[in-house]
Amino acid sequence: MADVVATHETIVVVGGGISGMTAAVEAAETGKNVVLIERAPSLGGRVSQLYKYFPKLCHPTCGMEINLRRLRGNKRIKVLTLAEVTKIEGRAGDYRISVTAHPRYVNENCTACGACGEAVSAQIPNPFDYGMSTMKAAYLPSLMAYPQRYVIDPSIIGTPDAERAQAACKYGAVDLDMATETFTLTAGAVVWATGWRPYDAGKIQPYGYDRFANVITSVEFERLSDPRGPTGGRILRPSDGKEAKNVAFIQCAGSRDRNHLKHCSRICCMASLKQTTYVRERFGDDAQSTIYYIDIRAIDRFEDFYQKVQADSTVRFVKSKVANITEDEASGDVILHGVDTEGYHRYDNRHDLCVLAVGMEPSVDIRTVADVAVDASGFIEMGSTNGGIFGAGCASNALDVNRSVQSATASVLRAVQVVNRVAKAEG
Amino acid sequence: MSDLNTSMVEQYRNNFLKEVEANVEGGTWVKMCMQCGVCSGSCPLGPAWEHPPQELFMMIRAGKREEVLKSESMWMCTSCYNCIVRCPRELPITHIMHGLANYAHRLGLAPKMNPTRRFAKMFWNNLVKSGRVNEIELSVGLYFMDGFKTGVARAWAMKDIGLGMLKTGRLNPFGFLTHKGCKDKRGIHRMLKKAREIEDRRKGLAA
Amino acid sequence: MTDMKIGAYVCQGCGLGERLDTKALTMVAQKEGKAHVVREHEFLCNSQGVAMIQKDIDEGVNRVVIGACSRRAKAEAFTFENVAVARVNLREQVIWSQPPTDEARELTQEMAADYIRMGCAEAKKIVAPTPNAAHGTNKRILVVGGGVTGMTAALESARAGYEVLLVEKAPALGGYMASLYKRVPSREPFADPQPTDIEALVAAVSKDPKITVHLNSRTTRTSGAPGQFSVDITAESGPTRTENVGAIVMATGFTPYDASRLPEFGYGKSPNILDQAGLEALARSAAAKGEPMRRPSDGKEVQSVAFIQCAGQRDASGTHLKYCSGHCCNTSMKQAMYFKAQNPNIDTAIIYTDLRTPGNGEDFYRSAQTKGVIFTKGKVQSVAVNGDGSASVHFHDLILDDKAAVMKDVDLVVLATGQVPNSGVNIDIPPDATDVPVTEAGKVQSVSVLNLTYRQGPDVPQLKYGFTDSHFICFPYETRRTGIYTAGPVRRPMDITQAVEDATGAALKAIQAVENAGLGRAAHPRSGDLSFPTFRREGCTQCKRCTVECPFGAIDEDEQRYPQFNEGRCRRCGTCMGACPVRVISFENYSVDSVGSQIKAVDVPDEFSEKPRILLLACENDAYPALDMAGVSGHTSSAFVRTIPVRCLGSVNMIWITDALNSGYDGVMLMGCKHGDDYQCHFVKGSELASYRMSKIDDTLQNLNLEKDRVRVLEVAISDIARVPQFINEYAEKIQEIGMSPFKGF
């Protein structure tokens, strides 16, 4: 990675999801040099795994296409994938950032022609589909992958499969001797945009995510609904592949709960409202969606979307935190038990599938890397002691896409202030 | 106490909530409920409740003093603790239910014929008498509290369990005759008296 | 101008060499495309391939045709300084979109040959763009509005080293926030109202040497473009000064919804019924006097307060605001805490339907409960004012399902009304329109904020309900006026924390706008594009379509009523080019001619060949990537289609369609983004305008005596990877059905 030139006027962006990509292009288009570091083999982050965005029901790949075009066309951005920041030392205007880069086993000669993928036989779980599908161990992470280069999974290194991949490549792009590299970058400021991860639904014992096949998470449901996903968007439930027409959505699965996440994750109400439209889109009038909620938090203009979904006769709302779920072993159906607190109605409702609207928690604990203030949930707090390290997007709070982008853009200005001060001092 | 019994409670004002906070164990938690209903849904006796816990909390906040204190609902609690474990606000719901029942009982508003209340009284008296529970006396008392005929039917229904307990020595058939108390019965009585004094003082019930 | 010298390069990698006769393709480039240099390469994107091209460029090649993969791949390798490059997509949209069979070979080769012809034709008509010489270099930022949003934008810009002009219409800085007693907390533990610290912010702005503040002032005229705006700042009963700035942040905030529209809640019937702003004033004046809060009617110390959430908000009936203002739940909790701090025994009840305290607001909610604020889920029906000045709130208690619940004799009632944006004139509503809903805020506000001299109107276009928000989830700052960014509650309903964040983001965008304007580069989404529209004055008929249809209001009219292109405001979508009936508007690298020549370059077989030709004009933002990904995913589609990417369907000029039909194409397809309420078009109106223009194509078809189905317009999304080839195949079948065009061979 000796080719990465970084100075005290460089802004390092950590995380290549929507927030990090935004931060990188916004900074570069303001004339700053940027190094964008992503842990996965491709940029895109969690939003690229969503089928649609609320409230417009548009596709995340659409904005990603624009951002990738901006990124490709900008020489000020250097992208490092399969790389992780392990330590940040120094102070605003003078950071030393330790990076570990993992081998892709494919170099920049790759044309994404797909020959290596055809040559290998090993199948591995596909993280893009949250493990609900498998893929070849030589793979392009997604159709929108950037860099548009294949990856050889480390699990086949040293096996004949890897040799086959290498032999299949006419362009000398497969390099099985690649090794983990560690190096240090210089930077003036850091935008930390490592995003979120879904709360571990298995910890919510009464819902049986770890026991019942047809209890899944909201992020998994995105993949089931996506035509590019493991079921071709047909919304087939995991236990028996039956069409899941009658779907329950449980809000605050982990959020607003002193036993789990004490904060409200902000996006989940809108996400479930959106997901009812997937069921509607797929099954028409045969669809049945039920949202079990405490408060529907469709703030500001999102209220329109809530009213639209309320008007859909296939969607029911039950004010209730579901008490527990049982499984009808014969059919695989899930039965939700609880009380609708609007007027006290007890229910035992049978559904084909139950989707847990899981909460958000920061995907990385930044304190292991840098001395930065975080709140009780682990989100980066703005503070004078953070120096030139700025949280952006869901590393800083539970935010939706729009607000993540807003947050990333704001963080860029804070970073620009630091590097402009450095530039002035350096003359 | 009687003035409390008869006082007019304004609805949706804090008077009754304050009264509960002052007098009911765990009462200060009532205001923390966000009406999610996980407690109501988690109760194994759920269907038996006229007003489940979360509804009771709302009724307290709405100032429905009579309805709450005269309710049979909180007497349904069997202390399984499911609700406490699941409550996202960590309300000690089980404790509040017992607290409410206890308070209603003290005020004399608790439903007179409520079986849980009657059993609790019976159990207490049985225990206090000798400092130790007398199983045969307690179970016979319980079965026959609604008259002889129902008592026979109840006892007959439980005969297998009763025989089993006899066989394993868990039930002394001569318990009616031999009130086997604890070693220091008077000490126990003194202790309980003291505890009552402390509790009354705490609840502001002492003269 | 040096002579044109075309170099055409055909890659043999990724299976191109096996599937195509690349030698023959170079011959096509040479003979028909008139390329001066033609070369094949087994792996064109590797360093030797690129070096080979660069060597030719060094030796005089100034137009490059790359026959390889999609323009979306290997962009880094195939970018050459100061040389126009035409990418010919032989991989994704030729060999990967055709079956790899021997039978398909001939048609695949014909397809590739056509694309090579098209690439050469395009290369002849384009030049690498150079920046407009007239770009502006002013880097000063104008901030309109001196509330927390405006002051934050000013301060953050100044901290990055930029000069700022701050214009505030009131006699002092501070805005709405200055009227607050305290604010909702912004930091852990999110337990208590915190001081607004507005004085410190005002002081910081006032003493910053880079910020010039104009109080009692309005922006009475704004003209120009990013990097060169000219703004008249008029002081109340004072002089007007003209200032030059590079970009503008509009942070004009909101006005609380008029509570007197809520007589059912007693507003106006008793001074003890307040809106949230009224309660802040009460709390401030009490604090100033060091006294407890008292009832306005008789000075009685307040013992009980009811807060009514969503008052005149979330109203689906259309009488009041349809949206939720987002901050009001937290605000009411904060205000209830004012009373609890005064005396914990004051009864405070909040009646709500959904309590909306996202994020850490949940901590604040718990804190309010801990302090004894009572929350009641209910729908308020009415508020009755009693003779003694107290009020009774009648509501439906939704938990106890009591439709006749009453909160009797409360001392104060606070109505949580919403935010109405101060966005100026709604330029989409004609000035003489009647029956404008209040929530659109169009009729309500007749005073312009910016007084833009733009042809399309004096203020920033509004999205919905008067808010000047962007419609793009991924791009929240994209207003339709380049270099003007709106922030705070004028953009979207929001609280202070979000407004501060928003102001900071908008300031970055403003700084970015001045930096890019200084280099003559386009702003989002064609960031960095140096091309800009020019027009042939002699040919212009002054029809004004370009000035009216430009989605970004970039085109004004000069004194002689000719269009005046403000390049700095232009987003390079080409909607003007598509609109122009006399085809006088063009870009250096994208013109009526550059696309028209490609259309004409295609070899159209005669009508007995059974090889129809279908032209597909595909939006480069969504449809074209979908076509690429269809190829990558192995979806095949008709070999009779010839695709040309366009910047936006809005840039499609009708002449392309008539030319295509006249020259024997059997059908024309247009694929663009969704339009309507949830539009996807990256240029806002491009696809809508295209669809409007195409609705008139029937006349043209009738004149040519052609069937209606000869032209088809489709809305596609980037994710329609499987559907796009399906659409193509269905259309190809349709064309087979209606038969070959009678215009072949003319």
Side-chain angles (χ1 to χ4, degrees), chain C residues 542-563:
Chain C
Q542 302 187 330
C543 75
K544 297 184 178 57
R545 280 189 209 165
C546 57
T547 58
V548 171
E549 293 189 359
C550 173
F552 303 99
I555 312 170
D556 295 331
E557 280 152 30
D558 65 14
E559 300 82 38
Q560 284 144 0
R561 314 191 70 189
Y562 282 105

Side-chain angles (χ1 to χ4, degrees), chain A residues 21 29 40 80 99 110 118 121 160 169 188 207 217 221 223 250 257 259 269 288 292 295 306 320 322 337 348 384 406:
Chain A
M21 283 175 73
E29 287 175 11
L80 303 177
V99 181
C110 176
E118 279 167 33
S121 52
C169 183
Y207 293 165
T217 65
F221 192 68
R223 300 310 306 142
I250 297 186
D257 193 332
N259 304 307
C269 284
Q288 284 181 66
Y292 297 87
D295 296 284
Y306 177 32
S320 171
V322 173
H337 307 277
D348 302 285
S384 51
Q406 187 188 9

Side-chain angles (χ1 to χ4, degrees), chain C residues 112 123 136 199 245 268 299 460 486 513 585 597 660 675:
Chain C
E199 298 81 3
V245 298
V460 174
T486 69
I585 303 171
S597 315
H675 55 85

Side-chain angles (χ1 to χ4, degrees), chain A residues 291-295 317-323 338-347, chain B residues 33-42 52-59 61, chain C residues 352-354 376-378 396-402:
Chain A
I291 295 189
Y292 297 87
Y293 72 99
I294 304 174
D295 296 284
F317 290 85
V318 178
K319 169 151 168 77
S320 171
K321 184 175 178 71
V322 173
V339 163
D340 174 357
T341 64
E342 272 194 17
Y344 182 29
H345 306 286
R346 206 162 276 283
Y347 61 81
Chain B
C33 169
M34 61 171 169
Q35 296 298 323
C36 75
V38 81
C39 51
S40 311
S42 299
Q54 130 278 329
E55 193 184 16
L56 285 173
F57 299 152
M58 195 62 235
M59 290 163 74
R61 284 160 24 174
Chain C
Y352 69 96
T353 49
D354 288 288
T376 298
K377 181 167 168 122
H396 177 189
D397 183 326
L398 291 165
I399 296 297
L400 302 180
D401 196 18
D402 179 0

Side-chain angles (χ1 to χ4, degrees), chain B residues 75-92:
Chain B
W75 295 95
M76 296 295 162
C77 176
T78 60
S79 308
C80 78
Y81 287 83
N82 253 354
C83 51
I84 293 194
V85 169
R86 291 180 188 165
C87 176
R89 285 288 171 82
E90 297 180 322
L91 267 72

Side-chain angles (χ1 to χ4, degrees), chain A residues 218-248:
Chain A
S218 46
V219 288
E220 289 166 344
F221 192 68
E222 288 292 327
R223 300 310 306 142
L224 284 189
S225 307
D226 190 338
R228 295 174 298 143
T231 62
R234 285 157 60 216
I235 315 187
L236 307 178
R237 66 182 192 177
S239 72
D240 52 9
K242 186 186 131 183
E243 286 184 330
K245 294 180 180 172
N246 179 349
V247 183

Side-chain angles (χ1 to χ4, degrees), chain B residues 92-105:
Chain B
I93 299 157
T94 308
H95 304 223
I96 303 170
M97 291 303 109
H98 294 317
L100 277 175
N102 179 272
Y103 183 55
H105 170 72

